[in-house]
Amino acid sequence: MRDTNLQIALGKLEITIDEMWEMTNKCEVLDIDFTSVVRKESNIHGYGMFAKKNIHDEEFVGIAFVDGRYKTSIGRYTNHANNPNVKFLYIDNKNIIAMAVENIKEGEELFVDYSSHTLNPEFL
């Protein structure tokens, strides 16, 4: 079953879930062992990213996209929510990092609003 919040976000972007899936899978995923997060199965949708430790508001979580050609597990597996606990920030036109927007407890899943970094990109 597809996440309703994801469908709403994709509607804002005017793309279908199949188009999002194709875009998501075009980029090679870099295998990086992050100190603060890990990929695990999600109760929300497929895989998700989960905090390995407590993460504080405005703390750097990790790199999500590299050189506009590669995703990390953060960029690939962070699920969507309308009330996210992380946001993706552009550090330039081709690189994106994940930053906490609230305190995240160890074991908690990370969420990003897919539409915010696409429709209203923020730069660090």
Side-chain angles (χ1 to χ4, degrees):
M1 176 185 261
R2 303 285 187 194
D3 180 10
T4 303
N5 290 337
L6 173 59
Q7 291 173 336
I8 292 168
L10 293 176
K12 289 180 185 177
L13 296 172
E14 297 181 0
I15 60 174
T16 67
I17 197 149
D18 291 332
E19 290 168 328
M20 175 62 105
W21 180 255
E22 183 180 336
M23 289 187 312
T24 299
N25 288 306
K26 281 185 178 179
C27 293
E28 181 179 343
V29 178
L30 300 176
D31 186 21
I32 297 174
D33 185 18
F34 292 103
T35 59
S36 60
V37 294
V38 64
R39 179 186 71 135
K40 298 190 317 190
E41 285 190 41
S42 169
N43 290 330
I44 304 299
H45 178 77
Y47 287 102
M49 296 305 295
F50 293 81
K52 291 166 63 173
K53 65 177 190 77
N54 290 335
I55 300 170
H56 301 286
D57 183 20
E58 297 186 11
E59 184 177 335
F60 170 75
V61 175
I63 187 108
F65 295 87
V66 179
D67 196 29
R69 297 182 307 160
Y70 306 99
K71 290 183 179 187
T72 67
S73 53
I74 293 171
R76 170 64 178 90
Y77 297 107
T78 302
N79 282 316
H80 169 81
N82 289 332
N83 297 309
N85 52 13
V86 298
K87 64 180 173 180
F88 287 170
L89 296 171
Y90 290 77
I91 54 176
D92 56 39
N93 286 335
K94 294 186 177 184
N95 297 289
I96 301 174
I97 63 165
M99 182 80 67
V101 296
E102 62 183 44
N103 292 328
I104 303 167
K105 294 180 183 176
E106 180 179 347
E108 189 177 339
E109 186 168 358
L110 277 61
F111 295 102
V112 67
D113 180 345
Y114 289 170
S115 64
S116 66
H117 70 276
T118 307
L119 297 175
N120 302 299
E122 291 183 60
F123 286 80
L124 184 63

